[in-house]
Every structure is written in C-alpha cells, then in structure tokens.
Amino acid sequence: PQYLPSAVHSKESLIRRISSDTDCVREIFEKLWHLQQSQESATITKLSPQEEAVLALPDNVLLLGRSGTGKTTCAMLRLFARFRLFQEYQRSLSGGLAPGEAAEAAPEDAHLNAVFITLSPVLCAQAKKFFEKLTDDGGAASTTPRLPKAAELPSNFHIGGERFPLFLTLRQFLKMLDGTLQEPFFSHAAGGAGLTWCNDDDQGMIEIVDREFMPIEHAVEDLMAENANPRWLEHLQAEQPHRPRGDQQVVASTRQSFEITYEFFADKCFPAHLQQTLHPSVVWTEIQTSIKGSLWALHTKDGFLSLKQYNELLGRKRGLVHPAQRKDVYYAFLHYESYKRRIGAFDLQDIVFYLYTRLRHEGYRGAVVHSMTMDEVQDFSQSTLQLMMMICQIGRASCRERV
C-alpha cells in the first residue's frame, strides 16, 4: 500500500485485491524473461535469490553492492513493479470491480509520480532505456507511459501526473526543483529559456538571479576571534570589503554565471603552497562532503561549517584527512570561497543549500512525488540526500556501490 498515492490508501478492498494479484507478479518476471532472450538485452542476467528478495521488500531500500552486481536492474524492476501495481489499481477503478461493488471516480492523484535520479547522464539514459523496454507492451498507448526526451523535460515540477515517470540527472532535478520557488536561484525568464545549466558534461554559462553573498567575511572573522592568526588569514581578511553582518542581499536582476567543478578548482583555486602536503581532490571532497555537504552544514546560517565545527563535529575518524591537517583544508576552503565570490561563480552545494533553505521557508508547491529512486547514491552528499527526502512522500530506493 505504501507504493501508492494517498488517495489509494482508503481503498482497502482494492489494495488487498491488487497486492495479492499473482498475474501482476507473473507479468513482471515474464517481462524480464523475454528481455533476457532478446539480443538487445544480452547483458541482463537471471535474477539471483538475493535480487528476487530485494524486489519483494515492501519498505524503503538502501541497496549496497559492487559495480556490476545488479543494483540498477533491481531498482528498475522495483520501479516497474510499482508501475504495474498502480496500473492494476487504475483498472480496478475503471471496470475491474467485484460484482455489486459501486464504481468510483478516479482520484486526482491517479498517476504514480515516480522519479529516478542519478549523477551520471549516461547512467540516466541507460536506466530510462531499460525502463522503456520493461513497459513496452506492443504499442498499447493506454498502458505505456511516454517518457520525455532530455530536450522535452519540463522546467519545473508544476506538472501533471501524465508527465511521470521522470528520469533525471541530479542537476536536472535541482533545476526543476528551483523552478517551483518564488525566489529561485536560476533565472526562469521566458518560460525557462535561460535554464541551460551545462555542467552535466562540461562547463557552461547560465543566467542566475544576482545576489550578494557575504558568508566568507564572517568565517574569517570567526577564525580571527579564535586567535588563529597566521598570515593567510590576514591576507584573506584584507581581501574582504567591510560589510555589517546580516542576511544575504537579494536584488531583482540577473547575470551570467557558471558552476565550479573539481577541474576548475584544481587548476584555479587550490593554494599552491599546499600542493606538497594535500592533493586537490582530497580537499575538494572534504569541501563538498563535509564543510559544505554535511547534514550539519545544511542547518547552519551560512551553509558551511566553521573551523571549530569542522574539527569537533567530524571527530577523529570522519573525513579523508588527519585532524592535524584540517586547518590547512579549511584555509584552502576559505581561499576557494573568496575566489569564487570574486568571479561570481557557484558550486553544487551552494545550490543545494539555497534550495533547502528556501523550501523550509516557502514550502514545496510542486507535484507530489510518490516514489524516488536514487542510483549511485555514494556520489551524493548528505545535504543533497536530505533535500531529496524533503520532496518524496512515500517510497524511496537507493543504490550505492560498496567500496
């Protein structure tokens, strides 16, 4: 029952009849068998007992396994099972009722609003193609959803249930979520025509709402107050124009900006004198997963941990660096943020923090998401996962590679 929209929960007799429908279960496994026989699906293997057990789990699932162990296949089959079970519910409303049982009008949420999200555009396309094969029933348009192409994706989640399921990269998901806000991060002028965030594959410019961020000055002041006053702190403080403390200033204009990726960070933002002791990839990971991407950072005022929080909250065993190196990592973070502010750029965690903060203030007003599947979830930060869980109401399945 938890697989289905809220309006279905009151139909206990229907739920009981659908959940025990062996024809629906048989159809799922027959579809998989036919895919195994086709040349196009030669890579699909027979389900192991463990994979069959995963398909039968009724609750939210976190699936761990090494590459090639069938995590994505299980995720797609679970999504397909929910899709077929909901179709059975729709058939019951339209004429599959028991004799003497009164027909009811279909509720407003008579669609299964399911979303699949992954970081990789290639994996997203492969998952979408596999789901299309699973749902291909010989051209019966009434039961087969038409999945939108990337160019046809809506600019926000103000959409009807007929647009689901959606197969999205993380950035596509964030762009659509941003489009539901009263004060969005990106410019959505002309119906979203300016929404051309290109960093799924490579760096590209995009129109964003022009805002003035001031958190780095505060962080430098906090460090100075802790009597940690090496030369690099004095240098950073000298770079900051004096402004009173306060919330970010929002102005009603737009400008061109771009997302900073690891390649840009390593080439332009990493302090040269730290290259002998720290690798840029380690520092970037610490910034994106701990200093800015941790659950604690998501609930700070400025969207990142102070040096004291970075040391105390992570403890001795979390993170990639020894506690003695964290001050150097934090200096590299401040240097990076200062440079990023000067050139007017942003990174992925800036967007996650902004969306989470605005959603807590405004509330989510887009289409209800009944089911969410996240693949390669180890690539997502804690803050990103928390943002996703704010949106999904009922069912979640996550797949993570075990390392």
Side-chain angles (χ1 to χ4, degrees), residues 25-47 77 80 84 130 133-138:
V25 177
R26 187 183 304 112
E27 179 192 0
I28 294 171
F29 286 96
E30 285 179 352
K31 176 68 70 171
L32 179 63
W33 184 86
H34 287 300
L35 284 173
Q36 290 171 348
Q37 309 309 309
S38 68
Q39 293 181 354
E40 294 182 358
S41 304
T43 58
I44 300 176
T45 59
K46 182 179 179 180
L47 289 182
L77 289 173
F80 175 64
R84 284 304 191 212
F130 182 42
K133 292 179 180 178
L134 287 172
T135 55
D136 182 12
D137 52 7

Side-chain angles (χ1 to χ4, degrees), residues 114-233:
V115 179
F116 174 91
I117 304 173
T118 188
L119 193 64
S120 166
V122 175
L123 180 57
C124 183
Q126 291 175 341
K128 177 174 176 286
K129 183 177 180 180
F130 182 42
F131 186 79
E132 287 174 332
K133 292 179 180 178
L134 287 172
T135 55
D136 182 12
D137 52 7
S142 60
T143 60
T144 302
R146 179 187 177 275
L147 303 184
K149 299 178 181 179
E152 300 174 343
L153 287 174
S155 61
N156 56 56
F157 278 104
H158 295 310
I159 55 177
E162 70 279 356
R163 304 297 297 271
F164 291 91
L166 290 171
F167 288 79
L168 306 172
T169 66
L170 174 61
R171 288 176 174 83
Q172 289 170 338
F173 170 78
L174 295 177
K175 287 188 295 188
M176 290 180 62
L177 187 57
D178 183 69
T180 67
L181 297 177
Q182 291 179 330
E183 295 184 11
F185 185 93
F186 297 108
S187 171
H188 295 262
L195 201 59
T196 54
W197 190 7
C198 301
N199 278 41
D200 275 329
D201 296 305
D202 50 37
Q203 187 169 296
M205 302 299 291
I206 185 171
E207 289 279 336
I208 69 171
V209 178
D210 193 13
R211 295 179 178 85
E212 200 173 328
F213 296 98
M214 300 183 292
I216 295 305
E217 179 187 0
H218 303 167
V220 172
E221 291 175 359
D222 292 340
L223 287 178
M224 299 292 281
E226 294 172 8
N227 296 318
N229 192 18
R231 292 181 179 177
W232 53 263
L233 275 180

